[in-house]
């Protein structure tokens, strides 16, 4: 492992901003450098009663190691001027490890936590449902569960990869299967696959082991670890299911990497990134205890798996030595800001077309004016049969990419988990905020989890107004009628298509029943989020703040033309936050591969190879730092659909975060905005709640371009925005 665990950001129970968890100890005065080091994680966060330690001694001299006064020296094996060993059966709570030579003595405090958790994520979710038998079968596991924490016995089996690209059980006592595949290095493709439960989630560790040598030897392991983080969207309360292509990542295993994976680090299980970071630390600790310290750990994974790499690289120094986020976002919680606008805007435009078939919003590409996101006049709209008046072909990213995500995140009545009864479903508050209630807290008046979502003062379509693409009358009508989302205590269950049993009669594609109704002035009130929740999101590390110092290759297929939710701007939103947060993004490389007309090439193997060289350079020349050890290929690039290089260079993406002419990759693969950026908000989307300015001040500052509102128009603006409009020159109120 190239870097040791050093800092954990976010002790959520108390929402402390950061806590230093040193994993090493040396004697006061530094007598010759006797030192005890925890290799398996921070000393403060040992789990399951086990920890791998190394004792460094300054010279070839006998050393005695004790835990709580009991001699455990026999658990350590000498190597050069150090001893390495695994401590087992540590009691819950604090223990003291001492190392003593004839001249020196040093001590280190370990704090052991249950393997079922938690360590720092706070009280565990009470409404938590174990994996169904069908999902357990994906791990080749069966029940019954051992306890209420959904615990399962740890199980290790051998599997081989067949020539038909399938995993099959491997019997070491039987003749070699005729259909056994071999790895690119020419050995039988046989893996040791360990599964069990950690932090209530199911974990998986896979490693190449054709000789069945076991974890102590593993001659075909390249001593490198991929932690594969899973994507998707879910609201928690469930143990999860397997993703075979991730937990047993064929390419990585064939190259000799070990693969670590967990349902608790898969965002299709939950989106509590504090709980996920804790789980990742516990799984990696298990790996290091059982298999030894890897040369390095590189993160891999797309979408929510990419988010986790940015957040855990920021929050848990030493967990990852490098990251290859794919189809990434900076985080999920700031995505909800503009995603929550989607259906508010779609409803307004759809109803304009219904009232007037010649409305400008009949042409789908015009919708980018208000939503910022990509749109198309040719991509099919899967919901068109439910809104037949939208007769023309076309769709938007809001519709094709994000429809259904607002109720999933915001509506406490909409959500479920596999295998639960309707009665159990009704007892759960199904929102992202409740899933991470240890972060956000509860509203003392309503008892519901606090939410960060806020659109007070947001002037939708402001840039379109200034550019003359909508009229002042349209601007006023839009902002009067767009509204906001009901508070959780007022929310009702969704209609069709989100509740399939209600189709086709009870159609509500926009979740309009949960949009605030108009007041006496015909103005739909906006939604005010909890500033306490916003500040907690920042303090807990749920927001990517840009402070990450490991090598990063951020890769994605360019999917904007497909209206896919994994839009291209997100890589640059992360870069902007890194520039703002740490003054540089020199440790981040951005690669795009064109996916028009199809996603035909996977750049991941290339990214792994380049990252391997980058880390080797960093190991050999640490004084040069991350930016100074980049291989030639570790530079901003874009690739053709077949994976061939189109352009490589520091100016590849010029014109996105600077005012220069568009670079070669920018020209070919342009990015889009969001509903908040076209309303005047910041590029990096890191602003929950704007500072407000009076309407009169906004007019005086020329915020509306050439439009000079009349007295009647000014009065209407004040009705729509009684507390003022956003002043995006000022920082986030929620910081």
């Amino acid at each position: 492992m190239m870097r040791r665990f050093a800092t954990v950001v976010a002790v959520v129970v108390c929402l402390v901003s950061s806590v230093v968890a040193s994993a090493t100890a040396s004697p006061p005065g530094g007598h010759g450098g006797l030192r005890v080091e925890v290799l398996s994680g921070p000393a403060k966060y040992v789990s399951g009663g086990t920890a791998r330690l190394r004792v460094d001694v300054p010279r070839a001299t006998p050393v005695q190691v004790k835990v709580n006064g009991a001699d455990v020296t026999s658990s350590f094996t000498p190597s050069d001027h150090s001893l390495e060993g695994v401590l087992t059966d540590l009691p819950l709570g604090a223990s003291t490890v001492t190392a003593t030579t004839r001249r020196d003595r040093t001590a280190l405090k370990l704090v052991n936590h249950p393997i079922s958790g938690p360590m720092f994520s706070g009280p565990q979710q009470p409404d938590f449902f174990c994996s169904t038998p069908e999902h357990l079968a994906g791990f080749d596991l069966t029940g019954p569960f051992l306890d209420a924490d959904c615990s399962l016995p740890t199980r290790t089996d051998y599997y081989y990869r067949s020539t038909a690209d399938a995993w099959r059980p491997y019997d070491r006592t039987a003749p070699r299967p005729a259909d056994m595949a071999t790895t690119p290095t020419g050995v039988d493709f046989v893996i040791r696959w360990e599964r069990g439960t950690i932090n209530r989630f199911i974990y998986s560790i896979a490693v190449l082991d054709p000789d069945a040598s076991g974890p102590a030897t593993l001659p075909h392991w390249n001593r490198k670890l991929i932690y594969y983080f899973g994507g998707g969207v879910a609201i928690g309360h469930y143990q999860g299911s397997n993703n075979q292509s991730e937990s047993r990542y064929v390419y990585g295993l064939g190259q000799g990497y070990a693969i670590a994976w967990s349902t608790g680090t898969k965002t299709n299980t939950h989106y509590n990134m504090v709980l996920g970071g804790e789980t990742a630390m516990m799984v990696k600790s298990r790996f290091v205890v059982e298999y030894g310290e890897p040369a390095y750990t590189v993160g891999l994974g797309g979408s929510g798996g990419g988010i986790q790499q940015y957040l855990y690289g920021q929050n848990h120094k030493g967990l990852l030595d490098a990251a290859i986020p794919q189809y990434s976002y900076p985080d999920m919680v700031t995505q909800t800001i503009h995603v929550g606008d989607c259906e508010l805007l779609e409803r307004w435009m759809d109803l304009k077309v219904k009232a007037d078939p010649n409305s400008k919003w009949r042409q789908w590409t015009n919708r980018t004016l208000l939503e910022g996101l990509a749109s198309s006049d040719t991509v099919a709209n899967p919901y068109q049969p439910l809104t037949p008046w939208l007769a023309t072909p076309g769709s938007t990213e809001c519709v094709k990419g994000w429809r259904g995500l607002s109720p999933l995140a915001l509506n406490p009545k909409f959500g479920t988990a596999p295998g639960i009864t309707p009665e159990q479903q009704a007892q759960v508050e199904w929102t992202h905020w409740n899933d991470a209630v240890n972060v956000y807290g509860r509203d003392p008046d309503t008892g519901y989890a606090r939410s960060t979502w806020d659109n007070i003062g947001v002037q939708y379509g402001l840039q379109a107004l200034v550019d003359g693409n909508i009229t002042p009358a349209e601007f006023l009508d839009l902002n009067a009628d767009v509204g906001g989302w009901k508070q959780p205590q007022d929310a009702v269950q969704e209609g069709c298509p989100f509740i399939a049993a209600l189709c086709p009669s009870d159609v509500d594609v926009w979740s309009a029943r949960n949009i605030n109704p108009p007041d006496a002035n015909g103005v739909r009130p906006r939604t005010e989020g909890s500033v306490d929740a916003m500040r907690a999101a920042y303090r807990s590390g749920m927001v990517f703040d840009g402070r990450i110092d490991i090598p990063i290759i951020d890769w994605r297929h360019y999917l904007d033309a497909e209206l896919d939710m994994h839009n291209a701007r997100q890589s640059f939103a992360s870069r902007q936050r890194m520039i703002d947060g740490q003054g540089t993004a020199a440790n981040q490389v951005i690669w795009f591969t064109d996916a028009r007309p199809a996603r035909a090439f996977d750049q991941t193997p290339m990214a792994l190879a380049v990252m391997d060289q980058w880390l080797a350079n960093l190991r050999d020349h640490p004084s040069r730092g991350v930016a100074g050890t980049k291989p030639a290929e570790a530079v901003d690039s874009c690739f053709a659909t077949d994976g061939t290089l189109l352009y490589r260079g520091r100016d590849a993406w010029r014109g996105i975060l600077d005012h220069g002419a568009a670079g070669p990759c920018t020209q070919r693969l342009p990015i889009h905005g969001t509903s908040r950026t076209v309303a005047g908000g910041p590029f990096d989307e890191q602003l929950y709640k704007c500072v407000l300015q009076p309407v009169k001040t906004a007019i005086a500052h020329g915020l509306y371009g050439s439009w000079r509102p009349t007295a009647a128009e000014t009065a209407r603006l004040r009705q729509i925005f009684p507390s003022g409009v956003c002043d995006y020159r000022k920082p986030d109120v929620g910081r």
Side-chain angles (χ1 to χ4, degrees), residues 490-650:
D490 300 320
V492 297
Q493 184 57 279
E494 300 296 323
C496 172
F498 310 114
I499 305 297
L502 299 178
C503 293
S505 59
D506 188 12
V507 174
D508 186 2
V509 295
W510 319 288
S511 302
R513 64 195 65 200
N514 285 308
I515 296 174
N516 290 326
D519 62 17
N521 293 317
V523 175
R524 292 179 184 269
R526 302 295 182 86
T527 299
E528 184 164 13
S530 165
V531 173
D532 287 338
M534 299 170 195
R535 291 175 178 167
Y538 280 111
R539 289 197 303 269
S540 67
M542 293 283 285
V543 176
F544 180 61
D545 226 4
R547 294 176 174 87
I548 184 171
D549 59 359
I550 59 177
I552 301 168
I553 298 177
D554 186 305
W555 172 71
R556 70 179 68 236
H557 283 113
Y558 179 75
L559 302 175
D560 285 36
E562 298 180 22
L563 309 182
D564 190 277
M565 64 168 59
H566 303 99
N567 62 70
R569 69 171 284 106
Q570 302 305 328
S571 298
F572 299 97
S574 296
R575 174 166 289 185
Q576 185 63 60
R577 295 190 194 185
M578 292 169 68
I579 292 169
D580 293 342
Q582 61 188 17
T584 179
N587 55 312
Q588 184 211 41
V589 172
I590 295 176
W591 291 356
F592 288 179
T593 301
D594 203 340
R596 296 168 293 185
R599 307 180 197 188
F601 192 84
D602 182 4
Q603 225 78 41
T604 308
M606 178 181 176
L608 283 166
V610 172
M611 187 60 77
D612 186 63
Q613 185 59 57
W614 194 346
L615 291 170
N617 294 348
L618 183 59
R619 180 190 63 232
D620 294 341
H621 305 284
S623 63
R624 298 180 187 175
V626 173
T629 50
K630 290 180 178 178
E633 297 87 351
V635 66
D636 288 348
S637 306
C638 53
F639 302 88
T641 308
D642 64 0
T644 58
L645 181 68
L646 292 171
Y647 186 81
R648 174 184 293 146
R650 295 178 63 186

Side-chain angles (χ1 to χ4, degrees), residues 53 65-73 76 87-91 95-98 110:
L53 274 65
V65 184
K66 293 184 177 181
V67 175
N68 299 329
D71 192 331
V72 294
T73 310
F76 288 77
L87 301 180
T88 60
D89 300 321
L90 292 168
S95 290
T96 301
V97 179
T98 58
L110 307 178

